[in-house]
Amino acid sequence: IIAFIREYLIRGFMTSDMVEEVLGISVISNIQEVDEKIMQKEAGTILLHEYIRHKPLSSFAESIRKIRVQAEGVHATTGEGQSVLVTSSVPNEGKTEIATSYAASAANAGNNVVVVDCDFRNPSVAKLFGVDVAQGLGEYLMGSVDLRDLIHKNVRENIDFIGINQIPKSPSDTLKTGKLQKLLDELKQRYQFVIMDTPPLAPVVDTAVIANCVDHIVYVTAWETTPRDVVKSTIKTLDKSKEKIAGIVLNRIDPKRESKYGYYYGYALKNYAKYYDA
């Protein structure tokens, strides 16, 4: 009874069934919170996207592979690369971690990958990769730099990326100029996967503009914390691009707390542990 009352009072999503009932969109991966102490003990002090290379058989690595399998199967390819937009409803749901981990997983499988930071208000990809960017997406969209001058490399994970330096006065209007589509078309000729880390939908309209240009969308929502009505309303802002959503990623699940309700990870902790490393 207490569990049911608690579930009623919690405003966020607790289960895949709840997500699908409210949003009408399937959950493609349930990702549990990775304990930083485990990461430090097992592989030294590393970042989350690096954990995939160090522990490719971990439950986290398998959860990212599930996203790739579902997203990459949504659209048939024509020989060129695929563009994947990763977003969320509000800040701090882990969308950048998912985007870079997606890229790391694809690169680890031998694919040629580039990550494009499209979050002008809170650029974080270059910072996460530990590289200072002198020229980035803003300069390209405003016509002052060539593509070859934009691309940097994360050597450890073998991921190319485009960061952000100069910020346009009106990012959404700059994104509408047609240069973004030109950039994507060119990148898809060079790379098998183009991963777009975009702003959350609730604060700004940029992602809705970018969504018109991509092949499919991975939508991240934080377990328990992000209000269901917020997720539902922000997804509506995608308009016709909503059809491109490959699925929802239910992120940062606390498996011990979740197990008290008898849901997926409570079962998985007992029955699937032998399939995973760490």
Side-chain angles (χ1 to χ4, degrees):
I1 292 172
I2 292 173
F4 278 112
I5 292 173
R6 178 174 171 78
E7 180 179 315
Y8 179 79
L9 294 174
I10 291 173
R11 299 173 64 195
F13 290 108
M14 298 292 294
T15 68
S16 297
D17 289 342
M18 187 183 292
V19 173
E20 292 167 14
E21 181 181 346
V22 174
L23 303 179
I25 304 172
S26 298
V27 171
I28 56 175
S29 190
N30 294 274
I31 301 183
Q32 70 181 83
E33 187 81 55
V34 179
D35 191 333
E36 291 185 3
K37 292 180 180 179
I38 292 177
M39 291 174 62
Q40 292 170 1
K41 179 180 178 181
E42 297 290 339
T45 302
I46 59 172
L47 299 172
L48 192 57
H49 65 271
E50 297 173 330
Y51 191 62
I52 290 174
R53 174 169 52 86
H54 287 272
K55 290 292 179 180
L57 300 180
S58 64
S59 60
F60 175 75
E62 186 62 31
S63 296
I64 297 297
R65 278 192 287 271
K66 286 181 181 178
I67 301 174
R68 289 179 47 221
V69 167
Q70 294 297 320
E72 292 159 19
V74 170
H75 298 281
T77 61
T78 57
E80 65 177 13
Q82 296 187 63
S83 54
V84 183
L85 183 155
V86 182
T87 192
S88 62
S89 299
V90 297
N92 302 316
E93 294 194 83
K95 66 171 181 62
T96 300
E97 292 175 346
I98 297 300
T100 52
S101 296
Y102 188 121
S105 178
N108 198 45
N111 296 295
N112 199 15
V113 185
V114 62
V115 179
V116 183
D117 194 340
C118 302
D119 193 344
F120 284 110
R121 275 74 168 192
N122 185 32
S124 53
V125 172
K127 187 185 299 182
L128 194 63
F129 288 161
V131 177
D132 292 326
V133 174
Q135 298 181 109
L137 181 62
E139 285 85 349
Y140 176 85
L141 294 177
M142 290 183 283
S144 59
V145 64
D146 292 330
L147 176 57
R148 64 177 178 271
D149 299 320
L150 295 181
I151 298 174
H152 299 76
K153 180 173 283 291
N154 179 307
V155 178
R156 283 190 292 186
E157 305 307 315
N158 196 29
I159 300 170
D160 287 357
F161 70 95
I162 296 174
I164 289 176
N165 179 38
Q166 187 175 353
I167 300 173
K169 293 181 180 179
S170 178
S172 58
D173 290 326
T174 304
L175 289 163
K176 290 179 183 178
T177 60
K179 290 210 68 175
L180 179 65
Q181 185 66 67
K182 180 183 176 182
L183 173 65
L184 275 174
D185 291 342
E186 192 167 347
L187 289 174
K188 286 165 65 175
Q189 295 298 321
R190 300 186 182 193
Y191 297 92
Q192 290 167 283
F193 297 102
V194 182
I195 314 299
M196 316 284 284
D197 179 35
T198 67
L201 276 162
V204 293
V205 72
D206 300 10
T207 298
V209 175
I210 299 168
N212 294 321
C213 303
V214 302
D215 295 321
H216 45 263
I217 298 167
V218 170
Y219 203 100
V220 180
T221 187
W223 178 77
E224 190 184 62
T225 58
T226 309
R228 283 165 270 180
D229 56 343
V230 171
V231 181
K232 188 174 182 180
S233 62
T234 51
I235 284 179
K236 287 181 179 179
T237 64
L238 289 172
D239 196 25
K240 294 179 181 179
S241 296
K242 181 182 176 182
E243 299 174 359
K244 298 179 182 180
I245 297 178
I248 304 295
V249 175
L250 198 54
N251 194 31
R252 294 178 176 172
I253 296 171
D254 184 335
K256 293 181 180 179
R257 289 182 54 223
E258 197 258 13
S259 66
K260 295 178 181 179
Y261 299 91
Y263 296 145
Y264 175 79
Y265 269 105
Y267 180 86
L269 279 174
K270 296 178 182 178
N271 296 279
Y272 299 162
K274 64 182 180 180
Y275 285 92
Y276 303 128
D277 183 12

